[in-house]
Amino acid sequence: MEQNRTELVLPILSCYNSDMKRQIKRKMKRALLILLLSAGFLTAIPQSAYAVNTAPTAEQKTAADERKNIPVETNLLPGWPEGPLIGAQAAILVDAKSGTVLYQKNVNEQLYPASTTKLMTALLTIEHCPMNDIVTFSHDSVHNIESTSSRIGIDEGEQLTVEQCLYGLLLGSGNEVAYALAEHVAGNVDDFVAMMNERAAELGCTNTHFANANGLPDPDHYVSAYDMSLIARACFKNESLVTISGTKNYTIPPTNLQPEERPLENHHLMIPGLKYEYEGFIGGKTGYTKDARQTLVTCAEREGTRLICVILKEESPNQFLDTKALLDYGFDGFMKVNISENETRYTLNSATFFHTNLDIMGSSKPILNLNTTDYVTIPKTVSFEDLTVRVNYENLPVNAVATLDYFYNGHKVGSTAIEYADHTVEPFDFSNIITARTKEELPKKVISEKELIFINIRKVILILLIVLASLLLIFFTHTLIVRIKYMRERDKLRPVKKFNKKKLKQKPYSKRRK
């Protein structure tokens, strides 16, 4: 019986195994076909890889070498430290607080920013949304993005917080994240792009126009190096964006659709511990497309000086090497000088202008002063006395009546605001008021040996006003009486002329003479 069962089972297993083998072969053929089709499709479309390590061709290297011949404008300034010659199409180095330009090369040309665009996306997001807001990824945010572009693998319907999205945006450079944030902030991408352009104009950008939130190629999507420095300055004033963009690694926890964690690594290789680490690095953003080439924004700080460097259209890895050279140039060759501590040409201690002598307490204080935190950034070989200064009354900051703008050989190196003085009066401690109404009710320790005089300030003021009004009334009445009396006396003294009829009968003088 057992033998018959075994003989019966063996054919069934053999049939089952053969079916499984056929299914496996079928699946393998399908997978191979899909792989081949995918490879053919990827080679058929124009490649626009998004990576900081994309190796340039020999032709691109030659073009980068030729770009070193583009003049560096700051190198033409008399007495200005000579900056490095780099292969970027455009570059700028600025002081993050004052905006003083330390190095500039072709800073107004309109160029593709690539993923450095996401700094503006991050800025608008953090200005309009709480970090714990929930962002739900729509169908368009996931599927309307170029399949070969930079992604962090978010699925349709998946939910992340704004904070997690910002890490995905600035570390992982996720284009679907930029799209989703645009929809979350403005409702749709078009309205968000309008917000981007409006914010850029507010920051003073004149050679910038955005067409999307992620920096994917578009002929109508461009910035200049100078404009990108304005955007970066606004970004790096926000310490949350500094922290996020300067983070080396971050892990997005499991979500409503993804049970696994998503580890992210910052693409900016100047972070401490990475290949091109830089001392003082605090944040930045990378970018790359086939047309934009390598783009890079970096912020670093040393000894209280914070600098921002922008590189547009460079070849890898020179975007990092250029940035290092420019930051070293800035930190080594320039210094900050406090304006209020050194300005002597425009003194605010003149009692005839900046002071008021109407202080009834007799202690006249200045009504205007210089901002005590403003400074100029100048070459270490230059002194404060070498600068020229102009008074400016336009585009003033809050609480300022004017600004003093400082220049070295025509190049602006800083400014300070002339502000209304803030004379803070210490609040009176009302808990110490004595509420006694008579001398007997006063505590003994406040009663002196001399007689106390109790003064009602309101009554004193009222009496003074009545006296003043009475004096004015008496004065005007007296003046009126005197004037009337004078007019009467004058009328009495005036002679009365009598009418002489004989004069009318007299002949003309000429006739009488004849």
Side-chain angles (χ1 to χ4, degrees):
M1 190 70 175
E2 288 293 328
Q3 186 177 358
N4 291 337
R5 287 180 180 174
T6 303
E7 291 174 355
L8 183 63
V9 170
L10 286 173
I12 294 173
L13 288 173
S14 62
C15 291
Y16 180 78
N17 289 336
S18 62
D19 288 341
M20 285 291 293
K21 288 178 181 178
R22 279 196 296 270
Q23 289 180 12
I24 292 172
K25 286 181 180 179
R26 235 184 258 119
K27 289 181 179 179
M28 290 179 66
K29 287 179 180 179
R30 286 178 184 173
L32 183 60
L33 181 61
I34 291 171
L35 185 62
L36 292 172
L37 288 173
S38 299
F41 174 75
L42 290 175
T43 54
I45 63 173
Q47 292 299 304
S48 56
Y50 297 77
V52 297
N53 292 320
T54 303
T57 63
E59 184 179 352
Q60 290 164 346
K61 287 182 178 180
T62 301
D65 288 337
E66 291 175 354
R67 290 195 294 265
K68 292 181 180 180
N69 296 322
I70 298 175
V72 176
E73 288 91 337
T74 43
N75 284 355
L76 304 178
L77 292 173
W80 201 261
E82 186 172 352
L85 301 178
I86 58 176
Q89 180 77 15
I92 192 169
L93 179 71
V94 300
D95 183 285
K97 182 179 182 295
S98 67
T100 302
V101 177
L102 309 183
Y103 178 99
Q104 66 179 60
K105 173 185 178 181
N106 195 31
V107 295
N108 294 315
E109 183 180 357
Q110 297 173 353
L111 298 167
Y112 294 126
S115 284
T116 57
T117 299
K118 290 163 185 167
L119 287 174
M120 176 61 88
T121 303
L123 178 63
L124 286 176
T125 299
I126 208 162
E127 287 178 344
H128 290 85
C129 301
M131 296 289 264
N132 58 357
D133 258 14
I134 300 298
V135 179
T136 302
F137 284 71
S138 68
H139 173 86
D140 289 346
S141 67
V142 175
H143 298 287
N144 280 7
I145 300 297
E146 200 175 308
S147 60
T148 57
S149 71
S150 179
R151 293 170 170 265
I152 64 169
I154 305 296
D155 296 324
E156 180 182 345
E158 195 164 355
Q159 294 181 329
L160 275 70
T161 65
V162 165
E163 181 181 15
Q164 292 165 354
C165 286
L166 288 173
Y167 277 101
L169 182 75
L170 298 179
L171 270 67
S173 202
N175 289 325
E176 79 272 40
V177 178
Y179 200 112
L181 285 173
E183 290 184 325
H184 182 76
V185 173
N188 60 75
V189 174
D190 290 341
D191 287 347
F192 186 80
V193 169
M195 290 174 64
M196 295 173 74
N197 289 316
E198 182 179 351
R199 188 72 174 95
E202 289 175 0
L203 293 173
C205 300
T206 57
N207 289 294
T208 290
H209 188 271
F210 294 110
N212 56 61
N214 43 43
L216 289 172
D218 189 299
D220 204 29
H221 190 96
Y222 51 82
V223 300
S224 67
Y226 178 75
D227 287 356
M228 181 54 73
S229 74
L230 297 177
I231 296 169
R233 285 180 61 201
C235 282
F236 295 119
K237 284 180 182 177
N238 188 299
E239 291 303 318
S240 294
L241 291 182
V242 171
T243 300
I244 293 172
S245 67
T247 299
K248 182 180 179 182
N249 299 99
Y250 180 80
T251 300
I252 298 177
T255 67
N256 59 318
L257 298 181
Q258 174 57 261
E260 301 294 331
E261 294 180 338
R262 283 190 181 90
L264 301 174
E265 184 174 2
N266 202 322
H267 298 175
H268 203 307
L269 301 184
M270 297 182 76
I271 292 177
L274 298 183
K275 186 174 182 180
Y276 299 101
E277 64 179 324
Y278 188 81
E279 180 185 353
F281 174 91
I282 62 172
K285 184 69 189 78
T286 61
Y288 174 82
T289 67
K290 181 180 178 181
D291 295 323
R293 309 309 300 159
Q294 299 290 348
T295 62
L296 188 66
V297 176
T298 308
C299 185
E301 184 172 2
R302 289 182 184 176
E303 298 178 356
T305 298
R306 183 175 289 192
L307 303 180
I308 292 173
C309 180
V310 177
I311 299 291
L312 296 180
K313 197 171 185 179
E314 179 59 293
E315 300 301 334
S316 182
N318 291 330
Q319 73 271 33
F320 300 114
L321 302 178
D322 291 353
T323 298
K324 181 183 182 302
L326 290 180
L327 289 173
D328 285 345
Y329 164 81
F331 287 124
D332 295 342
F334 294 84
M335 63 180 178
K336 294 195 306 184
V337 178
N338 185 280
I339 295 174
S340 64
E341 295 174 359
N342 291 274
E343 178 54 64
T344 57
R345 288 164 289 188
Y346 286 84
T347 176
L348 302 187
N349 292 324
S350 171
T352 61
F353 185 73
F354 287 115
H355 279 56
T356 172
N357 291 322
L358 301 178
D359 192 338
I360 62 173
M361 302 305 293
S363 58
S364 178
K365 294 182 179 180
I367 59 174
L368 298 174
N369 57 22
L370 295 179
N371 186 297
T372 57
T373 63
D374 290 335
Y375 57 87
V376 292
T377 306
I378 55 178
K380 291 183 176 179
T381 55
V382 174
S383 67
F384 188 83
E385 289 72 23
D386 297 329
L387 307 180
T388 57
V389 59
R390 302 174 194 166
V391 182
N392 178 31
Y393 299 99
E394 297 180 355
N395 302 320
L396 301 178
V398 178
N399 197 39
V401 297
T403 60
L404 298 179
D405 297 337
Y406 292 85
F407 299 84
Y408 178 69
N409 287 330
H411 185 73
K412 189 174 179 180
V413 294
S415 65
T416 187
I418 302 175
E419 302 172 329
Y420 291 106
D422 181 17
H423 300 307
T424 304
V425 179
E426 292 296 326
F428 183 76
D429 187 1
F430 287 93
S431 63
N432 293 327
I433 292 179
I434 299 173
T435 58
R437 296 182 180 179
T438 65
K439 176 180 174 180
E440 288 71 21
E441 294 177 356
L442 288 170
K444 292 183 179 180
K445 64 179 181 180
V446 301
I447 301 177
S448 66
E449 295 179 358
K450 298 181 180 180
E451 290 295 321
L452 296 176
I453 299 175
F454 291 84
I455 299 175
N456 188 318
I457 298 299
R458 289 184 180 178
K459 287 184 179 180
V460 170
I461 294 175
L462 182 60
I463 292 170
L464 289 174
L465 289 175
I466 292 173
V467 171
L468 179 62
S470 301
L471 290 173
L472 289 173
L473 181 60
I474 293 170
F475 173 80
F476 285 118
T477 303
H478 178 266
T479 303
L480 183 61
I481 293 171
V482 170
R483 185 172 182 80
I484 293 171
K485 186 177 179 180
Y486 169 78
M487 291 175 66
R488 288 179 178 176
E489 294 291 330
R490 186 184 62 182
D491 291 338
K492 289 180 180 180
L493 295 175
R494 182 179 297 171
V496 178
K497 295 182 179 180
K498 294 182 179 180
F499 186 73
N500 193 347
K501 294 182 178 180
K502 293 182 178 181
K503 289 184 177 181
L504 294 175
K505 295 179 180 180
Q506 291 180 356
K507 295 180 180 181
Y509 177 77
S510 58
K511 290 182 179 182
R512 290 202 308 267
R513 191 173 181 183
K514 291 180 179 179

